[in-house]
Amino acid sequence: MDDSLFNPRSVAVVGASPHFVSGGTFFLRALLAAEFPKERLFPINPKHEEMYGLKVYPSLQSVPHPVDYVIVIVPKDATFKVMEDCVEKKVKLVSCFTSGFSEIGNKEDERRLISIAKKGGVRVLGPNCMGLCVPKNRLVFDTGIESGEEWAGNISIISQSGGNADVMIIIGNGIGLKFNKAVSYGNGSDINADELLEYFKNDPQTNIILQYLEGFKTIEQGRNYLKTLRETTLKKPVIIFQGGTTAIGKRSIFSHTGSISGDNRVIEGAFKQAGAIMVKQGLHHLLYTALLISCFQKSNKLFKVGPNLGTILGGGGNNVYVADICSKIGLNFPAFDEEMNEWLKKNVGEVGTVLGNPIDMNAGMSGYKTAIKIMKLMDKIDQIDVITYETDFDWWLVSAKIRQKLDLYKEFDFKGLMESIMDTNVKTLIRNIKKIQKPVILISSQTFYDADIVSKRNELEETFRKADIPIINDMATMATVLKYLIDYKEYILRAK
Amino acid sequence: MDDSLFNPRSVAVVGASPHFVSGGTFFLRALLAAEFPKERLFPINPKHEEMYGLKVYPSLQSVPHPVDYVIVIVPKDATFKVMEDCVEKKVKLVSCFTSGFSEIGNKEDERRLISIAKKGGVRVLGPNCMGLCVPKNRLVFDTGIESGEEWAGNISIISQSGGNADVMIIIGNGIGLKFNKAVSYGNGSDINADELLEYFKNDPQTNIILQYLEGFKTIEQGRNYLKTLRETTLKKPVIIFQGGTTAIGKRSIFSHTGSISGDNRVIEGAFKQAGAIMVKQGLHHLLYTALLISCFQKSNKLFKVGPNLGTILGGGGNNVYVADICSKIGLNFPAFDEEMNEWLKKNVGEVGTVLGNPIDMNAGMSGYKTAIKIMKLMDKIDQIDVITYETDFDWWLVSAKIRQKLDLYKEFDFKGLMESIMDTNVKTLIRNIKKIQKPVILISSQTFYDADIVSKRNELEETFRKADIPIINDMATMATVLKYLIDYKEYILRAK
């Protein structure tokens, strides 16, 4: 695969439509919302002359410019003619959104469509896919996706499902991830996962590869993929979520992308042996694994992770819960020595707290200065690998809000106090965490749902993310994804 | 236990403080924020005369009114004198927040404190607990808790951890649960879970009991509890989350509430055999189980639940994921007959969708009329027990927002359209779902985090909750908690 496929000079949408609920309006609207340059965007539809302020061309041939990338959203029977037009127009890449091919058992039409493309030297994504998303090029496949230079990162996505690629990007953006390229390849009749992985292995703009995989078109593709996977994981982490791990899931796969999904345990075992991080429980875990890796790659702490935690959190019941979930996964809380316990007793106090590791500080942001001191002490304890701190933004914010509402403390300007936390406390916390040698993960539990709190919590979380300090919203997710990192580290140490 | 304990005529906070970060300010502030009647609220502190506009009394004895409920937040060594004062003042119930007793191995002081109370006929919650929360009485133990008649429901909480009780109420309110009473009993040296469960078994205001349990003070309490549990589950569901299921968790339990936690598998087995719903993965699952039960109790559908789902959702990859997670848990998607498949092909279409069960409609709210028709058809299919529909509020809202921003469709008033969905579409949907005989669960995936979307999503979800139609934010949680309901139903059918 050639790099130019991801950097098309122009895009045509064949089957574009201005109609509210039509599939043909979807891609065009997304490209317009992302501010893809209008002079390089060509809607194709013989029934219209103008659409969203753009000139509409009756056919690809009538476009008076070269066209590199074509998105096809026409009825299935019209796709063959469109593909012939693409060949004639010397299009580089076609993404065929149209479905009704091998995913419903119609292998013949799929072979016919791809054969036209192959003969003409045109590469194809799909059919039955969403195609390309390259945020830095303002090339997106959904209106919800942020684009432009400021949204460009070094994470790339290989996804058989367009919806999953979409959700990965949008939810990923929400937790601080930035993407380089995403490819949804659907039925994968021409370009499949093996070729995409080979490309991303060598792509200097990609540091982390996320993948949603259902299966392969041929056994050979599967073999190529596995070989490439083994080479790739030594260079960059590959995080895979596999769909169709049950009989009913496999039935859904067949009708989704018409892939051969094989025996799941065999596949999972082989991928793991090739160094892939195999995420068990859906896209959220995949994204948070990427978040930890991304932050720790930047701060050079990825290979410092380990199973021994030093943990500051709030609430005795929460403490028990965290101890349970971490310990089930194989993470530990090394006991502190006498000196540390004495320090805690003196500085955190005995009343209403549980000393020991995890530390029940019941403090959150209001006790951040003590938390900094504790983290510095933990940084010196050899038995601790990773430090986690529950920031309690929600409680801090709601408490400030209610005090303000009650007007109980007239001597305090709470609005000012709330703003100052952004300027002073958070800066102090970030400055100090950056000095800590061990990996640090913040936990920001989501307790309150009202828009006001959510918005302020987002602002606070954003500040930390910008400093490459990872924030995860619950301990269970943190524990699971940290374990993935530890396993990956151990694989790399063994493989080297 | 007497009902009057939960309905105190007056509350005194011994050790109340006006200081910003003092523990002694916490409860008073919460009661004031909840608008507990000021004339029945007595801060006690010899060092102050006025606090938050309230008259402060130097001692319990100096309060010129009867005091039913006392919250104690004084240093440990001062608790004995306070307890003697409580006896003299004929207080009914004391909640001792002060810690430093058996949870740090100090059994002697705990025995001494409780013995003063017992001799004097005073009942005690704690020590080391948050005490009572009765929202309808505006009696709360945290500022984040909503109170008043409109927040009163029929769910009650027994929790060893105050923090967990707090989180259950606050997050519970956020997903539509309303509570009757909550009790945090900490070390449980006087009142323990056995007595509380006995009370709630017979409490006509309680239909569902939620419990966070770490262990018991004595073997006898454990036995009493188990006997009561067996009787209670036949009358009302008891949903339990148990802390300390691992060795490290048990260590945390001991330093949290000083309880005996015993062999977890034995306890879990015994509780399950007594008909309790034993939640495996934390408080979120506990709360969503309560949500389903609460909604289905009201609509008389609780005993109609079963493992066979009819599911409408969006996205082929999502489809595979849902099939996988549900099938791992033991839920099924019965295949549709030819007639239904033909109807779907004609009315939903083949392009871009996956026919069959689950149905990939990729429609969300914009396709709600088709969804209603499908749900009505599913209602007639004997093989289907429960209907689930992914509403896609987030996508609908973000799509409307972006269209508005782009000003692409000038012929539509999108703001008006967005508002009208609340008035027309949602009402139509609710009216039709109410006619469906089978249990219906809506899934509202949380994809976008910005305050605007969150706020509008909350509004939409709220409308459904008020109509007792349960909404859960992800399919994995839905599948897990639905399975708990099915198991409970089967237990009741066997036991009857």
Side-chain angles (χ1 to χ4, degrees):
Chain A
M1 286 186 73
D2 192 277
D3 201 54
S4 69
L5 295 184
F6 296 96
N7 300 293
R9 289 165 300 173
S10 59
V11 178
V13 182
V14 181
S17 158
H19 296 307
F20 186 60
V21 291
S22 153
T25 201
F26 188 83
F27 288 93
L28 199 59
R29 202 171 65 212
L31 289 163
L32 284 166
E35 295 174 33
F36 187 87
K38 286 185 178 177
E39 66 281 10
R40 302 197 275 117
L41 182 58
F42 311 115
I44 313 288
N45 190 326
K47 290 182 194 144
H48 294 270
E49 295 192 343
E50 193 262 345
M51 209 179 273
Y52 305 122
L54 293 176
K55 180 176 163 52
V56 178
Y57 295 88
S59 68
L60 264 178
Q61 271 55 39
S62 58
V63 177
H65 304 278
V67 175
D68 283 350
Y69 179 46
V70 170
I71 301 164
V72 179
I73 325 137
V74 296
K76 192 206 71 202
D77 291 339
T79 54
F80 311 105
K81 172 69 175 71
V82 171
M83 195 59 87
E84 281 162 10
D85 290 353
C86 289
V87 169
E88 200 189 315
K89 186 76 186 168
K90 294 195 182 349
V91 165
K92 291 180 179 169
L93 182 68
V94 169
S95 164
C96 183
F97 179 72
T98 307
S99 58
F101 295 92
S102 66
E103 84 282 4
I104 59 160
N106 182 1
K107 291 186 183 180
E108 193 39 57
D109 277 342
E110 190 163 305
R111 264 197 289 267
R112 189 180 147 202
L113 183 73
I114 300 301
S115 123
I116 298 168
K118 282 200 171 165
K119 269 184 214 153
V122 173
R123 298 307 311 267
V124 181
L125 290 169
N128 183 27
C129 79
M130 303 272 285
L132 280 191
C133 177
V134 187
K136 75 175 150 74
N137 292 347
R138 298 196 176 278
L139 185 63
V140 300
F141 46 50
D142 192 2
T143 42
I145 296 175
E146 304 281 359
S147 66
E149 275 301 335
E150 74 271 36
W151 288 93
N154 53 26
I155 303 175
S156 289
I157 296 175
I158 303 173
S159 177
Q160 217 152 346
S161 155
N164 280 3
D166 203 13
V167 164
M168 281 192 237
I169 299 170
I170 290 169
I171 296 187
N173 284 167
I175 65 167
L177 299 180
K178 292 187 176 179
F179 296 91
N180 194 270
K181 304 175 186 83
V183 186
S184 145
Y185 63 96
N187 295 4
S189 206
D190 175 21
I191 296 172
N192 204 302
D194 55 336
E195 203 175 345
L196 288 166
L197 188 63
E198 178 70 34
Y199 172 80
F200 285 122
K201 181 184 85 177
N202 299 316
D203 178 20
Q205 294 171 343
T206 298
N207 288 352
I208 302 171
I209 299 164
L210 309 187
Q211 186 166 2
Y212 170 71
L213 181 70
E214 295 190 347
F216 299 96
K217 209 74 185 173
T218 65
I219 302 283
E220 198 202 343
Q221 277 175 338
R223 281 207 198 102
N224 286 343
Y225 175 86
L226 192 58
K227 183 175 165 286
T228 309
L229 183 63
R230 213 172 285 124
E231 297 157 5
T232 311
T233 56
L234 295 176
K235 296 175 70 175
K236 42 189 100 169
V238 181
I239 314 168
I240 301 175
F241 177 61
Q242 204 193 351
T245 56
T246 63
I248 300 184
K250 278 186 208 303
R251 188 183 79 192
S252 281
I253 278 188
F254 187 79
S255 56
H256 180 218
T257 57
S259 299
I260 308 163
S261 60
D263 183 314
N264 171 60
R265 268 175 294 183
V266 175
I267 292 174
E268 198 198 323
F271 290 178
K272 264 193 176 170
Q273 277 184 28
I277 297 172
M278 298 301 292
V279 173
K280 290 265 187 204
Q281 290 160 72
L283 299 179
H284 269 83
H285 281 187
L286 180 141
L287 294 171
Y288 278 108
T289 308
L291 177 69
L292 280 196
I293 291 180
S294 172
C295 289
F296 294 156
Q297 274 181 342
K298 285 177 195 161
S299 59
N300 237 336
K301 291 176 175 176
L302 182 53
F303 292 98
K304 290 187 178 179
V305 295
N308 299 308
L309 309 186
T311 294
I312 305 165
L313 41 72
N318 188 25
N319 218 326
V320 173
Y321 171 65
V322 166
D324 276 341
I325 51 167
C326 289
S327 129
K328 271 177 202 162
I329 279 170
L331 305 175
N332 310 306
F333 299 91
F336 296 135
D337 62 14
E338 264 313 297
E339 198 186 345
M340 179 78 171
N341 279 334
E342 277 309 308
W343 188 93
L344 287 171
K345 209 164 167 175
K346 207 174 137 196
N347 294 278
V348 185
E350 223 171 342
V351 178
T353 64
V354 177
L355 298 178
N357 187 15
I359 300 169
D360 170 14
M361 218 174 75
N362 255 336
M365 277 306 283
S366 56
Y368 78 99
K369 283 184 182 170
T370 312
I372 288 172
K373 284 180 194 159
I374 297 174
M375 287 193 274
K376 282 181 177 170
L377 289 170
M378 284 176 170
D379 203 23
K380 289 181 201 149
I381 300 175
D382 285 345
Q383 289 80 351
I384 291 174
D385 303 313
V386 174
I387 297 170
T388 78
Y389 166 37
E390 190 173 38
T391 57
D392 263 353
F393 293 145
D394 270 28
W395 293 103
W396 198 92
L397 291 169
V398 88
S399 169
K401 193 177 160 181
I402 286 167
R403 283 188 203 118
Q404 223 178 341
K405 175 185 138 197
L406 285 179
D407 201 24
L408 284 177
Y409 294 89
K410 289 191 183 103
E411 67 268 39
F412 286 92
D413 165 17
F414 281 98
K415 201 168 176 307
L417 187 66
M418 204 139 80
E419 279 157 14
S420 82
I421 197 180
M422 309 277 295
D423 295 334
T424 313
N425 305 13
V426 168
K427 267 185 200 161
T428 307
L429 198 49
I430 290 175
R431 198 177 58 242
N432 280 283
I433 291 177
K434 285 198 163 287
K435 283 184 208 156
I436 289 171
Q437 301 296 310
K438 299 187 197 294
V440 175
I441 304 169
L442 301 186
I443 311 296
S444 158
S445 300
Q446 300 182 335
T447 315
F448 296 91
Y449 293 127
D450 61 289
D452 197 22
I453 300 287
V454 168
S455 150
K456 285 191 167 50
R457 181 216 296 147
N458 279 355
E459 271 181 72
L460 290 171
E461 291 187 3
E462 193 63 19
T463 320
F464 287 94
R465 283 184 201 119
K466 279 191 179 142
D468 296 318
I469 297 167
I471 291 201
I472 298 185
N473 296 115
D474 68 296
M475 282 297 289
T477 299
M478 190 286 291
T480 308
V481 306
L482 177 60
K483 187 61 167 55
Y484 289 136
L485 260 67
I486 298 166
D487 292 345
Y488 177 68
K489 171 195 164 186
E490 285 173 1
Y491 173 85
I492 294 295
L493 294 183
R494 276 197 314 272
K496 275 187 172 167
Chain B
M1 287 185 72
D2 191 277
D3 201 55
S4 70
L5 295 184
F6 295 97
N7 300 294
R9 288 165 300 174
S10 59
V11 178
V13 182
V14 181
S17 159
H19 295 308
F20 185 61
V21 291
S22 154
T25 199
F26 188 83
F27 288 91
L28 200 59
R29 201 172 65 212
L31 289 162
L32 284 166
E35 295 173 33
F36 187 87
K38 287 184 177 177
E39 65 281 9
R40 303 199 274 119
L41 181 58
F42 311 115
I44 313 287
N45 190 326
K47 291 182 194 143
H48 293 269
E49 294 193 344
E50 193 263 346
M51 209 178 274
Y52 305 121
L54 292 176
K55 178 175 163 56
V56 177
Y57 295 89
S59 69
L60 263 178
Q61 272 54 40
S62 58
V63 176
H65 304 277
V67 175
D68 283 349
Y69 180 47
V70 169
I71 302 164
V72 179
I73 324 136
V74 297
K76 191 206 71 202
D77 291 340
T79 55
F80 309 104
K81 172 71 175 71
V82 171
M83 195 60 85
E84 282 162 10
D85 290 354
C86 289
V87 168
E88 200 188 317
K89 186 75 186 167
K90 296 195 182 347
V91 165
K92 291 181 177 169
L93 182 68
V94 169
S95 164
C96 182
F97 178 72
T98 307
S99 58
F101 294 92
S102 66
E103 83 282 4
I104 59 161
N106 183 1
K107 292 186 183 180
E108 194 38 59
D109 277 342
E110 190 162 304
R111 263 196 290 268
R112 190 180 146 204
L113 183 72
I114 300 300
S115 123
I116 298 168
K118 283 200 170 164
K119 269 183 217 151
V122 173
R123 300 306 312 265
V124 181
L125 290 169
N128 184 27
C129 78
M130 304 272 284
L132 278 191
C133 178
V134 187
K136 75 176 151 70
N137 292 348
R138 300 195 175 279
L139 185 63
V140 300
F141 47 50
D142 191 3
T143 42
I145 295 175
E146 304 282 359
S147 66
E149 277 300 335
E150 73 272 36
W151 289 93
N154 52 27
I155 303 175
S156 288
I157 296 174
I158 303 173
S159 177
Q160 218 153 346
S161 155
N164 280 3
D166 204 12
V167 163
M168 280 192 238
I169 299 169
I170 290 170
I171 297 187
N173 283 168
I175 65 166
L177 299 181
K178 292 187 176 180
F179 295 91
N180 194 269
K181 305 176 185 81
V183 185
S184 144
Y185 64 96
N187 295 3
S189 207
D190 176 21
I191 296 173
N192 204 302
D194 55 337
E195 203 174 346
L196 288 165
L197 187 63
E198 178 71 33
Y199 173 78
F200 285 122
K201 181 184 84 177
N202 299 317
D203 179 20
Q205 294 171 344
T206 298
N207 288 350
I208 302 171
I209 299 164
L210 309 187
Q211 187 166 3
Y212 171 71
L213 181 71
E214 295 190 346
F216 299 96
K217 208 76 186 172
T218 66
I219 303 282
E220 198 203 343
Q221 277 174 338
R223 278 204 202 107
N224 285 343
Y225 174 85
L226 191 58
K227 182 176 165 288
T228 308
L229 183 63
R230 212 171 286 124
E231 297 157 5
T232 311
T233 56
L234 295 177
K235 296 174 70 175
K236 40 189 101 167
V238 181
I239 314 168
I240 302 175
F241 177 62
Q242 203 193 353
T245 56
T246 63
I248 300 182
K250 279 186 207 303
R251 190 183 78 194
S252 280
I253 277 188
F254 188 78
S255 56
H256 179 218
T257 57
S259 298
I260 309 164
S261 58
D263 184 315
N264 170 61
R265 267 174 296 184
V266 175
I267 293 173
E268 198 197 322
F271 290 179
K272 263 192 178 173
Q273 276 183 29
I277 297 172
M278 299 300 292
V279 174
K280 290 267 186 201
Q281 291 160 73
L283 300 179
H284 268 82
H285 281 189
L286 181 141
L287 293 170
Y288 278 108
T289 307
L291 177 68
L292 280 196
I293 291 180
S294 171
C295 289
F296 294 156
Q297 273 180 342
K298 285 177 194 161
S299 57
N300 238 335
K301 290 175 175 176
L302 182 53
F303 292 98
K304 290 186 178 179
V305 295
N308 299 308
L309 309 185
T311 293
I312 305 166
L313 42 71
N318 187 25
N319 217 325
V320 173
Y321 171 65
V322 166
D324 276 342
I325 51 167
C326 290
S327 128
K328 272 177 201 161
I329 280 170
L331 305 175
N332 311 305
F333 299 91
F336 296 136
D337 63 14
E338 265 314 297
E339 198 187 347
M340 178 78 170
N341 278 334
E342 278 308 307
W343 188 94
L344 287 170
K345 207 163 168 176
K346 205 174 139 196
N347 294 279
V348 185
E350 222 171 343
V351 178
T353 64
V354 177
L355 298 179
N357 187 14
I359 300 169
D360 171 14
M361 220 175 73
N362 256 335
M365 277 306 284
S366 57
Y368 78 98
K369 283 185 182 170
T370 311
I372 288 172
K373 284 182 195 159
I374 297 175
M375 288 192 274
K376 283 182 178 171
L377 288 171
M378 284 176 170
D379 203 23
K380 289 181 202 152
I381 300 177
D382 285 345
Q383 289 81 353
I384 290 174
D385 303 313
V386 174
I387 297 169
T388 78
Y389 166 37
E390 190 172 39
T391 56
D392 263 354
F393 294 145
D394 271 28
W395 293 103
W396 199 93
L397 291 169
V398 88
S399 170
K401 193 178 162 183
I402 286 168
R403 284 188 202 117
Q404 224 176 340
K405 176 186 137 197
L406 285 178
D407 200 23
L408 284 178
Y409 295 87
K410 288 189 184 102
E411 68 269 36
F412 286 93
D413 165 18
F414 281 98
K415 200 166 176 309
L417 187 65
M418 205 140 78
E419 280 157 14
S420 82
I421 198 179
M422 310 275 295
D423 296 333
T424 313
N425 305 11
V426 167
K427 268 187 200 160
T428 307
L429 199 48
I430 290 175
R431 198 179 56 241
N432 279 283
I433 291 177
K434 284 198 164 286
K435 283 184 210 157
I436 289 172
Q437 301 296 310
K438 300 187 197 293
V440 175
I441 305 169
L442 301 186
I443 310 296
S444 158
S445 300
Q446 299 182 337
T447 316
F448 296 91
Y449 293 127
D450 60 292
D452 196 22
I453 299 287
V454 168
S455 151
K456 284 190 170 49
R457 182 214 298 146
N458 279 355
E459 272 181 69
L460 289 172
E461 290 187 3
E462 194 63 19
T463 319
F464 287 94
R465 281 184 201 119
K466 280 191 178 142
D468 296 317
I469 297 167
I471 291 201
I472 299 185
N473 295 117
D474 68 295
M475 282 296 290
T477 300
M478 190 287 292
T480 308
V481 306
L482 176 60
K483 188 59 168 57
Y484 289 135
L485 260 67
I486 297 168
D487 291 346
Y488 178 67
K489 171 196 163 185
E490 285 173 1
Y491 173 84
I492 294 294
L493 294 183
R494 275 198 313 272
K496 277 189 173 166

